Every structure is written in C-alpha cells, then in structure tokens.
Amino acid sequence: MTMIAAPSDSASLARDFEMESLCRSHWARLHATACQRGLPAVEAADAVQDLFLQLLRSGQMSRLLTLPSAHQTAYLQMKLRSVMRNRWRDAHCQRRGGQSMHLPLHELDEVPHDIETPATQHDLVWLRQCLEQALGRLRHEMRPHTWNRVSTQITAVRATCESNAHRAALLRARLRLRTLL
C-alpha cells in the first residue's frame, strides 16, 4: 500500500514514511486474519484497505503511530473485525432485497406510472394470478366461518380485530398465505 501525498516539509515527509511503514508492517497479519475469518483473498485485501482508509479519514492514524507495537496490533485487529462486520451487514442487507422494488398486496391496482413497463405489467398480472390462486387454496383449507371473518383483512395493512381469537386466526391465515405464495 503506497500513500501518495505532497509533503511540504521534512516533518510531514517523516510522518508519511512512518504511516507507510505502519501499514506495511501490519498488512500481512491483518490480511491473514481476514482470510482466516472466511473472506476470500481479494475481499480480505479490500477490507484491510478499507480499515486503513477509515483510519486516515478519521485522523486516528497519527494517534496510532504513538502507541507501542503490541497495542497497534490489538487496535488494528479490533477495528478490522468491525470493518468486516459492517461489510457483512451491508452485503446481506442488499441480498434481502435492498435493491428490489416491493409492491404492497393491498394496492396491486395502484401501480406508480413511473415504473410501469411491459415487464412490470406482465409481472403484475402474474402476481395477481398467484395471489388469487393462493387465496382460493387458503379459502378451501380454512373453515367457512373462519374464512368469512378474516378474508377481508388478510391483505389489509392494518387489520382491526375484535378479539384475541380473531387476531390469532388472522395471523395463522397470513402465515399460511405466505407459505402458499
């Protein structure tokens, strides 16, 4: 890792040299730690670079230079674990649908016009058919009395329940609909 800067004097040049030697001395150990924790080599290198970048941006690199070597190692290991946790969290948030567009079930007919394309129109038709089939199957699985009480509120955002038994029946119906979908 090479740090490029325009030094104005010899003190600045010496400090930059100390920072570069610090990065070089801890790079291999931090990279190995990231690899041992399950990251591929390229992602481990990215995580270590993110760590040093965060330290530079926050101004903690100069404070780190004043610590003894053992304390530097412990501090960098701790910060690396934090960087890896944050990267893992961000990666998994995106996998859960962070980039996808969600359509509420109760507003299938009210699609915003800015997202309406032939593909979304086809998807909406398919979604309506899937929902109708799942609701039909759920209606046949439930008792008629229970279906009559919860059918209007299954796809509602906020349901008003008269009793705990009604709330429990609605919850079970929604869970079953979710598995049928």
Side-chain angles (χ1 to χ4, degrees):
M1 174 178 193
T2 303
M3 296 175 15
I4 299 173
S8 60
D9 57 2
S10 61
S12 171
L13 184 60
R15 191 190 66 196
D16 289 346
F17 179 73
E18 287 178 3
M19 285 186 196
E20 186 172 345
S21 64
L22 173 81
C23 293
R24 287 186 188 278
S25 64
H26 291 287
W27 175 267
R29 183 179 295 135
L30 293 171
H31 186 266
T33 300
C35 288
Q36 286 174 350
R37 292 194 178 263
L39 288 180
V42 174
E43 289 183 29
D46 289 344
V48 175
Q49 286 177 353
D50 284 348
L51 168 67
F52 286 125
L53 182 64
Q54 286 178 10
L55 291 174
L56 282 172
R57 285 184 177 164
S58 66
Q60 295 177 351
M61 187 67 87
S62 58
R63 185 182 72 78
L64 192 60
L65 291 171
T66 62
L67 296 176
S69 179
H71 292 284
Q72 289 175 354
T73 303
Y75 181 77
L76 288 171
Q77 295 279 343
M78 178 191 66
K79 292 297 270 185
L80 178 65
R81 285 193 302 269
S82 175
V83 167
M84 289 171 51
R85 271 194 306 269
N86 291 342
R87 290 171 62 94
W88 183 88
R89 181 198 61 220
D90 294 344
H92 282 76
C93 284
Q94 290 175 357
R95 287 186 191 148
R96 282 188 231 135
Q99 300 293 331
S100 62
M101 178 189 65
H102 300 284
L103 295 173
L105 295 177
H106 66 286
E107 298 175 358
L108 282 179
D109 295 328
E110 303 170 12
V111 179
H113 295 288
D114 59 338
I115 61 169
E116 198 165 326
T117 64
T120 56
Q121 289 175 353
H122 180 268
D123 289 345
L124 287 175
V125 170
W126 174 79
L127 181 61
R128 282 189 192 102
Q129 290 173 351
C130 287
L131 186 59
E132 288 171 3
Q133 288 176 358
L135 285 171
R137 188 167 174 194
L138 182 64
R139 186 184 70 223
H140 290 296
E141 290 179 3
M142 294 181 72
R143 289 186 233 147
H145 173 70
T146 308
W147 174 256
N148 291 336
R149 291 188 71 194
V150 299
S151 63
T152 59
Q153 297 178 350
I154 287 178
T155 59
V157 175
R158 291 192 178 257
T160 55
C161 300
E162 299 102 30
S163 65
N164 287 337
H166 182 245
R167 183 178 299 121
L170 183 61
L171 175 68
R172 282 193 299 272
R174 285 180 173 170
L175 289 174
R176 181 62 184 144
L177 178 63
R178 193 173 300 141
T179 58
L180 289 174
L181 286 173

